[in-house]
Amino acid sequence: MSRKYSPSTKEKYMCQKHKIYFKKKLVDWRNEIVESNTKGLYLNNVDNEISSADIIDQASSQTEKTIGMRTLNRQIKLVSKIDKAIKRIENDTYGYCEETGEPIGLKRLIARPIAILCIAAQEKHEKEEKVYADL
């Protein structure tokens, strides 16, 4: 498959080309995150400010570490979602809404390859979340 390939609505939904495209996109994204996190962890361990005599430097360094750990936790959750999406490709459920069973749509999957809900189900879910958040 060429590097310039982009899924088309003219093709059968979730045909082999689509699956190959999305699997490659997900695997590349996963590898990028893992590589980035590995570098981040290494750089976090090479922190000189924590032993600084200046209390402001220590506080700043600690804040940066806390933000870094939050980011790392989000990335770990994202890698887990990517792994689940790859498994859905392998068991032929990728691209279909987990709530309705309807196609999620190519545009949505290209924008958010880990999407599990179609737009209508996602909007419903977000409205319900907002209602409970307002209570």
Side-chain angles (χ1 to χ4, degrees):
M1 184 178 302
S2 79
R3 291 182 186 257
K4 294 183 181 182
Y5 172 78
S6 183
S8 167
T9 54
K10 294 176 184 174
E11 300 166 318
K12 184 178 181 243
Y13 188 73
M14 282 303 125
C15 64
Q16 195 61 30
K17 281 183 177 181
H18 290 181
K19 290 177 188 176
I20 291 169
Y21 171 84
F22 285 111
K23 186 170 185 176
K24 181 178 179 351
K25 186 171 181 136
L26 288 161
V27 168
D28 289 349
W29 189 16
R30 184 187 193 288
N31 290 342
E32 185 180 304
I33 292 168
V34 169
E35 183 179 325
S36 171
N37 286 344
T38 303
K39 287 179 185 174
L41 284 174
Y42 172 75
L43 293 175
N44 249 355
N45 288 335
V46 186
D47 186 7
N48 299 327
E49 298 298 330
I50 200 75
S51 60
S52 172
D54 186 5
I55 195 156
I56 294 172
D57 286 344
Q58 288 178 3
S60 175
S61 179
Q62 194 60 41
T63 300
E64 286 176 20
K65 275 191 169 198
T66 302
I67 291 170
M69 291 309 292
R70 283 185 188 157
T71 301
L72 182 62
N73 286 337
R74 273 200 267 356
Q75 299 289 22
I76 289 168
K77 289 178 185 175
L78 182 56
V79 166
S80 173
K81 288 180 180 182
I82 292 170
D83 288 341
K84 288 176 184 175
I86 292 169
K87 282 186 179 129
R88 286 194 309 275
I89 289 172
E90 292 167 356
N91 67 22
D92 294 326
T93 58
Y94 182 81
Y96 295 92
C97 180
E98 287 188 354
E99 215 170 87
T100 65
E102 295 293 316
I104 291 173
L106 292 176
K107 286 182 181 179
R108 178 159 167 74
L109 289 171
I110 289 169
R112 184 89 174 140
I114 59 172
I116 58 171
L117 300 173
C118 63
I119 290 175
Q122 184 68 39
E123 287 173 348
K124 179 184 168 202
H125 180 73
E126 287 173 4
K127 283 179 186 172
E128 289 171 359
E129 264 185 5
K130 187 179 182 326
V131 167
Y132 288 116
D134 289 344
L135 294 177

